[in-house]
Each structure stands twice: as structure tokens, then as C-alpha cells.
Amino acid sequence: MLLLDITIVNVALPAIERSLHASFSDLQWVIDAYALALATFVLTAGTLADQFGRKRLFVIGIVLFTIASAACGLANDSLFLIISRGVQGIGGAIMFATALALISQEFHGRERGTAFGIWGATIGAAVAIGPLVGGMLTSWLSWRWIFLVNIPIGIAAVFLSVAKLRESSDPEHSRLDPLGLVTLIGGLFCLILALIEGNKQGWTSGVIIGLFLAAFVLLAVFIASQMRDRVTMIDLSLFGRPAFDGAQITAFAISSSLFAMFLYLTLYMQNVLGLSPLQTGVRFLPLSLVSFVAAPIAGRLSTRVPIRWLLGGGLGLVALSMWLMSGITTSSDWTTLLPGFVIGGIGIGMVNAPLAATAVSTVRVERAGMASGINNTFRQLGIATGIAALGAIFASRVTDGVVSGLSGLSNVHRLASQLASGQATNAIASAPASDRDRIAEVARASFISGLNHILVVGTVVAAIGAVLAAVLVRPQDFVASGPQATAAEPSAVD
């Protein structure tokens, strides 16, 4: 339900844009408010779970997520939707922080590898059905139903959790950290806001420079606060294990590259190719279904193949997939993306299950809640910063293309601003009839140029992540209950 609510929303964004008269930055915040809330609250949620009970917090998270989903479905403007998405992210953070810990406490050895394989398959299923379900609900009913559908699912999940889950906690090793929470939330919010608003306000404007400075100061204070001699949100000693570092880099790299790219690929399919939400969902199926099949296979392989090769190889395939997609032209059809979708699906499947196992298997069992929280923070932080940073690059590229392609028009800078912010329909409609065809052609070419550019940027990010994952994730860093504990010494292929 958590990851479903990311993939299902992407397909509906153009419909939300039209219904609520949302800007391009509004659409970015619809995704980022959810991801940012997950990234910032998941660590505190992990501490609360360790302190008051993982099962109890998990159920509370489901309830909050379900209520916020209802609010999203009833939103009548962009701001209300964005705020509701943030609350939904808090509920999601609680579920994310406890899910892996609950799995970790129930399974050990080879069974844990299988359990994480099922977890990876569930992630794959969310990716698989999200675009299709989102397309069907948006096309046949309304975009509001992509949120309202969570209500019956949430109710069923509460009953199953109460009946089936076993309670566990670790109150002696956990304590709330208000200073850490406030500085982390404030720092990340300032960073994302600066990235999203940079093109509009001007990168050298006082507002943007001030936001970057505030982000730097707040995040520096956050890190300093975690060095105190008491229990904090993050045990910085965990980062002394290279494998743990490699897991966080992997989570950030895949999220800030391919997962963040889904927003822009969706806008391309619907706003440039003219596909409906349902048709867009169907086009995403090759990527989705392949990742669904690859995830459980990778989960089983994690007990036999060095995890560094699964993570590094998976990220390498993700990089290759985006490079293959970066050759879009103005005459391209969606099939140009097909090879990248298939290879990217394999890469996602190879990364997800081993990554989940690595996140909790490089620490002691009693630190599982914090470890899973940190890993999910890096996942969601990757999506939030990836969407914002790629959006800044994309908007700048579109603006440059429009200014160059429409030189000579008296209102070229206003048109460039409208087109870069996603208001192509309004920009074309308000232009003189004699200029509309030219504006539409330039807008299409500029959008494709911007998309190709950020696909290359995403390729570089994933490739760097692949190298670091292969170098850092060492077998000797796994604890006794880890998926490769029996292979603590490097193998021949390692």
C-alpha cells in the first residue's frame, strides 16, 4: 500500500494538474510531500516502535495513512492535497519503520532470505499494479479514487495486523530525540524547497541562497546532535560498517535516479504522446512485471551470491536502462522506452530484496528498527531530492530551449516560464493563432530535450551508486543472523 501510493499517483498527476489547476512545482510537491514526510519521520517512528511496541505502532500507522488517504481523495485545491500527502507520509513512515523489523524478528537464516524475497516481490507487485490501477481508476472514475481505494485496504490491514502480528520492543535502547527530529525536518524541507523553487526565484536570489544556507545549518546541527553521549535518532556508529554505508548509498541512488524519473516519464507519455492515464499504465507494465518476477529470484540468490554483486549489478542495469531511454526524438513513440523498461525492471528486482536484507543484517537484531528506518529514510530522501533536483535541471533545459526556439517573439520569457512550469496548454491557448503551431512544436522539442538530459543525469547517479555498492558491501560486515553469515569470509567470486 505504501509503494503503491507512489506509483499509482504518478499516472494520475496530469489529471490532478487539470482538475486542481496545479503548477509543475505543485505536482513535484504532491510526490515530494509524501516522500519527505517518510524520510524525516521514519527514524522517529523506528524509535517509537522500539520503545512502545512495533506491532502497536504499525497499526497506528495504518490508521493514520488510511485517514489521510481519505483527505487526499476529498482535496479541492493543490495546497490541501499536498498537506494531506504529508500526513499520509507520516502514517507511511510508521509502517515503513516497523515492517522490516517485524519481518526480521520472525525469520532467521535461509528463511529470512525467503521472507525478504517475498518483501521484494511485494514491492515489485506495488510497482507492477500501481500504474495500471492508477490508470484504470483515473480513466474510469476519477483521480480521487487512487486515494480512496486505500480505505478498504487499510481497514483490512488493521484487522490482519491485530490478529496475526506478534508484539516486540526494545525500550532500553531507544529514546525520543526532539532536537534531531526538528533539525532534520527543517533542513530537508529547506533543501527541497530551494531545489524546486530555484528556477522560478533565481538561483542567486536571496530567498534561494537563504534556503540553502538554512538547510546546511540545520542539517549540520542535526549531525552534531547525533554525536551526543546518549540515545539519539541515529546511531552514527552504524556508519562505521562499509556494508551499512553501501546499503544507504544503494537506496539513495536507485530512488534518486529511476524512481524519481517516473514522474517525468509519465508527463512525457500523457502530455507529449497524448496517452490516457490507462494507456500510460499499460505502457509501464513491462518494467513493472519484470521487476515483480526478478525480486523473489534475487531474494533466493542472496543466500548464494555475494550481495555486493546483486546490488552493484542491479544498479548497473538501472543505469543502462536510463541510458537506453535517453535517445528520445520528436518522432519517437513509447516503444523507444521499451528496452529501458525491461532492463530497468530487472535492475529494480535485483536491488530491492537484497537491499532490504542488507539494511537490517549488518546490525544487531535489537538495532533492526533503527537500521530499517535509516534505510527507508535514504530511499525516500532519494525520491524527494531526485524529483526536485531533476526537476530543476529539466525546467532550466526547457526554458533555454523555448527561449532559443521562440526568439523574436515579444513575450518569449513569459512563454518559457509557462512552458517550463507545465502550463503548455494555457500558454498555447493564450498566444496568437499564427504562433500556436510554432509554440507547440518548440514546447514538444524542449520537453524532450529536457527529458533526455535528466535521463543522462540519472544514468550517472545510478552508475556511481553501482560502483560504490560493489566496493562497500563486504560479506564480513554481516552479523550472525544475516543472509550471508555463513559466508563471512570473501568467496572466490567476491
Side-chain angles (χ1 to χ4, degrees):
M1 188 164 67
L2 297 173
L3 291 176
L4 178 66
D5 224 60
I6 295 176
T7 57
I8 199 174
V9 171
N10 277 324
V11 178
L13 286 175
I16 293 173
E17 176 185 18
R18 292 187 295 270
S19 175
L20 301 182
H21 306 289
S23 66
F24 179 56
S25 61
D26 290 335
L27 297 184
Q28 289 177 290
W29 273 114
V30 168
I31 302 296
D32 274 357
Y34 181 79
L36 192 57
L38 272 171
T40 52
F41 279 94
V42 74
L43 292 170
T44 296
T47 300
L48 289 171
D50 288 341
Q51 195 168 39
F52 299 108
R54 294 166 185 137
K55 173 182 175 179
R56 180 178 300 154
L57 262 293
F58 186 70
V59 172
I60 291 173
I62 297 173
V63 172
L64 183 59
F65 185 92
T66 304
I67 293 172
S69 296
C72 290
L74 299 174
N76 56 7
D77 60 43
S78 299
L79 181 59
F80 187 85
L81 176 60
I82 291 168
I83 293 172
S84 299
R85 284 282 284 169
V87 176
Q88 192 183 39
I90 296 173
I94 297 173
M95 289 189 283
F96 255 132
T98 52
L100 287 179
L102 288 169
I103 293 174
S104 181
Q105 76 181 18
E106 297 292 341
F107 301 96
H108 304 280
R110 291 186 179 273
E111 284 188 346
R112 182 181 283 186
T114 302
F116 281 121
I118 296 173
W119 164 265
T122 303
I123 292 175
V127 175
I129 68 174
L132 185 60
V133 172
M136 290 191 301
L137 291 174
T138 304
S139 296
W140 296 345
L141 295 173
S142 164
W143 63 265
R144 299 181 183 278
W145 282 95
I146 65 175
F147 300 110
L148 298 178
V149 72
N150 289 329
I151 297 175
I153 298 175
I155 293 172
V158 168
F159 281 107
L160 285 173
S161 299
V162 171
K164 300 296 183 180
L165 293 180
R166 181 170 58 90
E167 186 60 276
S168 66
S169 63
D170 182 28
E172 291 146 5
H173 293 87
S174 62
R175 190 164 68 182
L176 289 178
D177 183 8
L179 176 61
L181 177 62
V182 171
T183 53
L184 180 63
I185 292 174
L188 292 178
F189 177 80
C190 289
L191 175 63
I192 300 303
L193 183 60
L195 290 172
I196 289 178
E197 297 294 327
N199 282 307
K200 179 180 178 181
Q201 299 288 338
W203 293 102
T204 58
S205 69
V207 172
I208 299 303
I209 293 175
L211 285 171
F212 278 126
L213 286 175
F216 175 80
V217 171
L218 288 169
L219 292 177
V221 172
F222 169 75
I223 293 174
S225 72
Q226 302 308 292
M227 297 178 179
R228 292 172 294 176
D229 295 327
R230 65 179 187 82
V231 177
T232 54
M233 288 176 64
I234 294 178
D235 181 357
L236 293 181
S237 67
L238 297 179
F239 290 91
R241 286 178 174 265
F244 186 81
D245 297 340
Q248 314 323 315
I249 291 171
T250 300
F252 185 89
I254 194 170
S255 296
S256 62
S257 56
L258 187 55
F259 288 161
M261 203 69 65
F262 289 164
L263 165 62
Y264 304 100
L265 293 173
T266 297
L267 293 176
Y268 167 69
M269 290 189 191
Q270 295 192 36
N271 291 349
V272 176
L273 298 184
L275 300 177
S276 69
L278 178 56
Q279 290 170 331
T280 300
V282 170
R283 267 66 175 183
F284 270 108
L285 278 178
L287 182 150
S288 305
L289 293 176
V290 169
S291 68
F292 177 75
V293 173
I297 296 175
R300 289 192 292 271
L301 287 175
S302 66
T303 60
R304 302 179 179 88
V305 177
I307 285 185
R308 63 166 66 184
W309 301 127
L310 292 176
L311 297 181
L315 275 176
L317 291 177
V318 167
L320 177 61
S321 74
M322 287 182 290
W323 182 77
L324 290 173
M325 286 188 274
S326 65
I328 302 170
T329 66
T330 53
S331 60
S332 295
D333 196 1
W334 79 273
T335 51
T336 301
L337 304 174
L338 188 56
F341 277 2
V342 173
I343 293 174
I346 298 173
I348 291 172
M350 284 180 63
V351 168
N352 273 332
L355 177 58
T358 303
V360 297
S361 297
T362 56
V363 301
R364 302 187 310 275
V365 173
E366 61 268 21
R367 298 280 76 191
M370 178 178 286
S372 64
I374 292 172
N375 191 247
N376 284 313
T377 293
F378 276 85
R379 282 181 183 266
Q380 300 308 317
L381 184 58
I383 291 177
T385 56
I387 286 176
L390 292 175
I393 297 170
F394 172 80
S396 176
R397 191 79 173 185
V398 170
T399 299
D400 291 344
V402 171
V403 171
S404 175
L406 297 178
S407 60
L409 293 184
S410 59
N411 58 346
V412 62
H413 291 287
R414 180 178 62 83
L415 283 170
S417 177
Q418 287 180 300
L419 294 172
S421 64
Q423 304 298 317
T425 301
N426 294 336
I428 295 171
S430 63
S434 59
D435 294 331
R436 289 175 187 171
D437 288 343
R438 181 186 174 193
I439 293 173
E441 181 180 349
V442 170
R444 179 185 179 94
S446 299
F447 187 103
I448 291 172
S449 174
L451 180 60
N452 284 332
H453 195 72
I454 61 175
L455 280 166
V456 173
V457 173
T459 298
V460 174
V461 171
I464 293 173
V467 173
L468 292 175
V471 170
L472 293 173
V473 181
R474 311 177 308 175
Q476 60 264 38
D477 289 333
F478 288 83
V479 298
S481 59
Q484 296 188 342
T486 57
E489 297 297 324
S491 64
V493 293
D494 197 32

